[in-house]
Each structure stands twice: as C-alpha cells, then as structure tokens.
Amino acid sequence: MALPLFFPPVRYTPQIDCAHAVPLHELCNRAETRCEAFGAWTKRPIVVRDAGEQLPWIRAEPGDWAAVEVGVPHLRGSLRAQSRWALGALAFVLFDGVARASIVGKDWSRIEQPRGAAPGDRRPLSNAERQRKYRMRAGV
C-alpha cells in the first residue's frame, strides 16, 4: 500500500463528535507503527470513519491539540490500512509532527507512483536527431 499523492483539503468545524475517538498513539498502534513522540501531543483525539462510496474527507477543530475526523476510503475493511491512510492525512494535510515522525521512512508511507510510462523512459536524442527534427519542423 502506498499513500496518495493528493489528500482532500482540511475543513475546519467548530465541533466534532468524539464518541469513537482514539488518541493519536493508539492510531499508531493500529497502523502497526511505533509512535515517535511522548506527552500531550500523542493524546490528540482522532476519529477514523470509513467513507464508503463518498469521497474521503478531513475535518478538524481549530487548534493544535484539537480533535480531527478523517473519512478514509474503503480499503477492503482493513483497520491497519485505514489507520495508515489516516496517519498519512494527518502528516501531510494537517502537518501533525507526531504523525509525520511516526511514518517517516516506512515502506507503506511512500507516495504512490503515477500510472503510465515513466517520464524518462526514452533515451536522449543525439545532436543529429535534434537537428533533423528541427529541420522537419522549420521546413528547411
């Protein structure tokens, strides 16, 4: 699994229902990664919901330690995959330092490769080939 190149933008709301919230360090445990911080920063309440057929979303209350709700895409019901997607969203959208430090260097936290041929698949043109193309375009 790789993280997407673009996450949905964050929307700030005044209140998030924290009935099913877990602390950030517990989200790291669910993602099977080690939480790389200590203290109050690791107790930020995170609500992870399966977005199902809807587009994923990120909602947050204003403030550094405020609650966050992440609607993750349906990832075959895997709690680990959903937790990893939510950690990626926290790290790259909200710039959460704890989440970023916890996922850095992991194989699953790499950005997914775009589809299609790589941009540098062709060999570079020689000078003679470039001149030939130029002359054909210019009509010389």
Side-chain angles (χ1 to χ4, degrees):
M1 177 193 136
L3 295 176
L5 180 59
F6 296 106
F7 285 96
V10 64
R11 296 187 189 239
Y12 289 96
T13 61
Q15 187 73 14
I16 292 178
D17 180 22
C18 293
H20 301 289
V22 296
L24 185 55
H25 64 84
E26 176 60 30
L27 188 66
C28 291
N29 289 341
R30 290 181 181 183
E32 296 178 4
T33 187
R34 187 171 154 233
C35 185
E36 297 291 338
F38 299 98
W41 290 100
T42 64
K43 292 177 176 55
R44 181 181 205 170
I46 311 294
V47 180
V48 179
R49 299 194 193 279
D50 189 350
E53 300 298 321
Q54 300 176 3
L55 291 174
W57 72 83
I58 302 167
R59 293 186 192 112
E61 293 176 357
D64 290 337
W65 298 359
V68 177
E69 180 184 45
V70 181
V72 298
H74 185 68
L75 300 169
R76 295 180 299 278
S78 170
L79 184 62
R80 183 184 70 174
Q82 290 176 347
S83 300
R84 288 179 174 182
W85 199 94
L87 275 176
L90 290 171
F92 298 122
V93 177
L94 287 175
F95 303 107
D96 188 304
V98 175
R100 186 172 285 212
S102 298
I103 70 171
V104 69
K106 307 286 192 277
D107 288 338
W108 56 265
S109 67
R110 293 187 195 144
I111 301 299
E112 64 188 13
Q113 295 294 319
R115 296 179 183 173
D121 268 356
R122 293 186 338 180
R123 68 171 178 78
L125 296 175
S126 68
N127 287 339
E129 291 168 329
R130 277 198 302 279
Q131 282 293 321
R132 192 175 315 113
K133 280 187 155 191
Y134 170 75
R135 289 184 179 134
M136 288 177 69
R137 277 193 313 263
V140 178

